[in-house]
Amino acid sequence: MRDIELRPGLNIVWSPDGADDAALAGQTNAVGHGSGKTLFCRLIRYCLGEDRFATEPQRDRIGTAFLNGLVGAEVMLDGTCWAIVRPLGVRRRHMAVAGGNLDEIAAGEGASTGLEPFIDAVDQRIITTALAELVRPQAQGPVWPIALAWLSRDQECRFDDVLDWRSPTSDSDSPLPASGQEKGPRLEALRSFLMAITPEEQATRGEVNSLSDQRRVLDQEIGHRRWEIERTQTRLVTGLDLQGHSLPEMPLLIDVMRKSAGTRFAAASELPIGGDPELVAAREQREESRNEWARLDGERIRIEALVPAEERALAMIRGELPGLSYSKVESESPICPICDVPIDRALADGCKLSHKIPDANACRQRWDQRQVDLAAQVQLVERLRQEQKQILPQIALAKQHYDQSVDRVASIEKARDARESNWYVARRLQDDVERLAELFETQEDATKSLRQLGTKLETERERLGAFRDKQARVFGRISEKFDPIIRRLVGHDAKGRIILTGNGLDLSVDMGGDRRTAAIDSLKILAFDLAAMCVSIEGATRVPSFLLHDSPREADLGLSIYGRLFDIVQELERVGGKPLFQYIVTTTTAPPTEFRKRPYLQLKLNGDPPTQRLLGVDL
């Protein structure tokens, strides 16, 4: 367990380089970085209500090294000591108990209260409900985390801008408007904390923002509508064949277009049409022609199928005739099938072997019938061949009639479509003219509204400027603290000034001219924070007189300026007989000799060996 006491007034956390500390002489690995200064600041912020105490990779490493690790703090809030305990490892118990004992709460297993009781107490007692309402339009939640972001800037922000509080690289997950690219909400929050804004001004600012958004949207609509009007006008001039004519300006041009479009529509309505009865009759004729052509073609197919069959039947009949002719001759003088003797002789001689004699009448009848069948079949085949020859011209004629009926229907439909197309084109031109008239009328109304919005916006901006001028005395009060701080830091010939402009806060340092360098920018931020803390000591703000500065860029500031920073804070401790603020600063550069011990130096860390780091282990 490690217990670190932080006193009211100046508190220094120093991580020296080997060259800055005699105790580290000869230790080549003694570096001031990586010792845990930023983690120390993050843990303080964590105990004061910030959601995370490190980046995700570092949280994982710390959680692995300290599975059941806790960090706790005793925080004095409006005369009440709050005991706050938060987990570093796998535990999920967050405790904030007013008047509680830190050791007992850390060792106990009570139900988690969360940090909300403490954060709500700060909002109610320090920030106050009325001021919180000024910030909440931008922040849907507690306001203290936003104030905490300002009072304990990220080291990653490098003190570059008075409104840069949290860097995305720090993974702090601070609520809006404590972070984000838009600095306007942070300016309003800062002014609220400094009591340099009123509900009336904020309402006016909201009205200005609303009017600005309305004007921007309306201006975009006017631009889009202007493009549509120009496109529609060009299309109508071409469609109405008005090119080359001397045309008036809008809105008189609309009357010219209306007249031209009306003339075209009237002409299109009088075009000859292929009426429905004519088209119906043509379609019926086309159907009849198609059916007749199909009937004749079917008959052709039937005949072409019958001819081969009947020709085969004719061939069969002709093949049977020789046999029938022989049978008929044989029946007239039959031969005994057994002894090959003519039947007449066998009967005359009295042959007893054969008594079956061929029926000559039957053979003659079969022969005669086949002769009749042959003649009929020849006639049938000849008739089919004639029909086959005759039907081909009929089919060609039917096909011709069908094609003519198809062309007739297509011609009528084309005439009808052409008429309808011309009618629709003329009608569309009329509709487009009316649409152009509506667009122009809407454009005129929108332009008038835009002018009215502009006038109203200028009026509201003038009111806002009046509010800003009225609140200038608040920043004048801060400037009264800012200017001597700048003089003490850089010389009596320097001048510091804070001005509230329409674009934000302008911090200037005049040293034979306005100086704006990286070192001066860091100096201005430090001086502004100290000036605001001085005003908080006087009770003229709604934030505690507390500051946490994590390693300001002392290399840019210079050792002399850096040493004077501690002198200024030391002098502030003597105001009122006892320290009325708490200022925590971490540094790698050695503080002046008198500040390297208690009561100012509260913690001394080293980057190497690991046991001398904040957590005492190598992560």
Side-chain angles (χ1 to χ4, degrees), residues 117-137:
F118 171 75
I119 295 174
D120 291 341
V122 178
D123 276 5
Q124 295 291 329
R125 300 180 190 178
I126 306 297
I127 296 177
T128 73
T129 303
L131 186 142
E133 291 302 319
L134 293 177
V135 182
R136 281 207 178 94

Side-chain angles (χ1 to χ4, degrees), residues 17-284:
D17 283 323
D20 295 330
D21 189 0
L24 301 177
Q27 298 185 26
T28 56
N29 293 330
V31 294
H33 301 285
S35 60
K37 300 188 305 300
T38 296
L39 178 61
F40 175 75
C41 296
R42 292 295 300 268
L43 290 175
I44 292 177
R45 287 156 49 180
Y46 188 48
C47 289
L48 292 178
E50 194 160 282
D51 288 339
R52 300 174 182 176
F53 62 86
T55 59
E56 185 173 355
Q58 192 173 19
R59 292 199 307 271
D60 292 340
R61 292 194 294 270
I62 294 174
T64 301
F66 301 94
L67 288 176
N68 296 306
L70 297 171
V71 60
E74 290 180 337
V75 182
M76 292 300 298
L77 173 60
D78 199 20
T80 302
C81 181
W82 284 75
I84 298 174
V85 175
R86 304 199 72 176
L88 298 178
V90 297
R91 302 178 68 177
R92 291 293 179 265
R93 196 162 61 95
H94 302 259
M95 304 291 291
V97 181
N101 183 282
L102 182 61
D103 293 333
E104 292 178 0
I105 294 174
E109 294 293 337
S112 175
T113 65
L115 268 288
E116 287 77 10
F118 171 75
I119 295 174
D120 291 341
V122 178
D123 276 5
Q124 295 291 329
R125 300 180 190 178
I126 306 297
I127 296 177
T128 73
T129 303
L131 186 142
E133 291 302 319
L134 293 177
V135 182
R136 281 207 178 94
Q138 300 293 338
Q140 302 300 323
V143 177
W144 165 240
I146 301 172
L148 176 63
W150 165 38
L151 300 174
S152 57
R153 301 172 185 270
D154 269 344
Q155 183 194 34
E156 291 81 0
C157 286
R158 301 308 298 161
F159 298 89
D160 286 331
D161 190 282
V162 69
L163 295 176
D164 280 346
W165 301 344
R166 289 288 182 264
S167 170
T169 60
S170 68
D171 197 15
S172 64
D173 200 25
S174 292
L176 292 174
S179 60
Q181 295 182 350
E182 182 58 48
K183 295 182 180 181
R186 287 201 288 284
L187 175 61
E188 290 197 24
L190 179 62
R191 292 183 60 193
S192 299
F193 297 140
L194 295 175
M195 299 176 65
I197 191 171
T198 62
E200 293 79 7
E201 179 184 352
Q202 189 178 63
T204 303
R205 184 177 297 277
E207 180 67 13
V208 167
N209 292 335
S210 176
L211 291 173
S212 297
D213 290 340
Q214 292 179 38
R215 188 173 72 168
R216 176 180 52 81
V217 172
L218 189 57
D219 191 56
Q220 289 178 348
E221 291 177 356
I222 289 174
H224 294 158
R225 195 180 296 111
R226 183 184 302 112
W227 173 81
E228 187 174 358
I229 288 173
E230 292 174 354
R231 187 185 64 168
T232 304
Q233 179 177 328
T234 301
R235 186 176 69 247
L236 284 173
V237 168
T238 302
L240 295 172
D241 295 331
L242 297 177
Q243 305 99 317
H245 293 73
S246 179
L247 300 176
E249 297 293 331
M250 299 284 285
L252 297 178
L253 178 60
I254 293 177
D255 295 333
V256 175
M257 290 181 173
R258 278 178 176 155
K259 182 178 179 180
S260 178
T263 301
R264 279 177 170 268
F265 182 75
S269 300
E270 296 175 358
L271 289 176
I273 60 174
D276 288 341
E278 183 182 5
L279 180 60
V280 170
R283 286 174 175 171
E284 290 178 352

Side-chain angles (χ1 to χ4, degrees), residues 167-427:
S167 170
T169 60
S170 68
D171 197 15
S172 64
D173 200 25
S174 292
L176 292 174
S179 60
Q181 295 182 350
E182 182 58 48
K183 295 182 180 181
R186 287 201 288 284
L187 175 61
E188 290 197 24
L190 179 62
R191 292 183 60 193
S192 299
F193 297 140
L194 295 175
M195 299 176 65
I197 191 171
T198 62
E200 293 79 7
E201 179 184 352
Q202 189 178 63
T204 303
R205 184 177 297 277
E207 180 67 13
V208 167
N209 292 335
S210 176
L211 291 173
S212 297
D213 290 340
Q214 292 179 38
R215 188 173 72 168
R216 176 180 52 81
V217 172
L218 189 57
D219 191 56
Q220 289 178 348
E221 291 177 356
I222 289 174
H224 294 158
R225 195 180 296 111
R226 183 184 302 112
W227 173 81
E228 187 174 358
I229 288 173
E230 292 174 354
R231 187 185 64 168
T232 304
Q233 179 177 328
T234 301
R235 186 176 69 247
L236 284 173
V237 168
T238 302
L240 295 172
D241 295 331
L242 297 177
Q243 305 99 317
H245 293 73
S246 179
L247 300 176
E249 297 293 331
M250 299 284 285
L252 297 178
L253 178 60
I254 293 177
D255 295 333
V256 175
M257 290 181 173
R258 278 178 176 155
K259 182 178 179 180
S260 178
T263 301
R264 279 177 170 268
F265 182 75
S269 300
E270 296 175 358
L271 289 176
I273 60 174
D276 288 341
E278 183 182 5
L279 180 60
V280 170
R283 286 174 175 171
E284 290 178 352
Q285 181 62 37
R286 181 188 62 184
E287 191 66 18
E288 292 176 0
S289 300
R290 187 188 66 80
N291 293 336
E292 177 63 15
W293 175 43
R295 184 190 68 78
L296 291 173
D297 196 56
E299 184 66 15
R300 175 188 63 78
I301 294 172
R302 184 188 68 81
I303 293 172
E304 288 179 351
L306 284 176
V307 168
E310 296 302 332
E311 286 179 344
R312 287 194 297 272
L314 177 61
M316 290 177 59
I317 294 174
R318 286 176 173 170
E320 292 178 359
L321 287 178
L324 292 175
S325 176
Y326 175 77
S327 296
K328 181 174 74 68
V329 172
E330 186 180 49
S331 65
E332 293 175 351
S333 182
I335 301 296
C336 179
I338 297 174
C339 57
D340 292 332
V341 175
I343 294 301
D344 293 341
R345 180 181 174 186
L347 291 176
D349 293 343
C351 179
K352 305 299 184 185
L353 297 177
S354 178
H355 60 280
K356 294 182 180 180
I357 301 174
D359 190 346
N361 290 330
C363 288
R364 281 193 296 273
Q365 290 178 1
R366 286 198 297 275
W367 165 261
D368 294 339
Q369 183 60 44
R370 272 310 184 200
Q371 290 292 334
V372 172
D373 292 343
L374 176 62
Q377 191 66 27
V378 169
Q379 186 178 3
L380 175 60
V381 170
E382 184 63 24
R383 181 174 60 80
L384 288 174
R385 288 174 177 170
Q386 290 296 325
E387 290 178 358
Q388 188 177 25
K389 292 179 180 180
Q390 294 172 359
I391 203 169
L392 292 178
Q394 297 176 9
I395 291 174
L397 184 60
K399 179 64 167 58
Q400 183 179 4
H401 289 165
Y402 173 67
D403 292 340
Q404 291 174 350
S405 65
V406 169
D407 293 341
R408 170 66 175 164
V409 170
S411 176
I412 295 175
E413 288 179 343
K414 183 177 180 180
R416 182 199 61 180
D417 293 343
R419 179 260 173 186
E420 290 179 352
S421 176
N422 291 331
W423 187 89
Y424 281 121
V425 168
R427 183 62 182 176

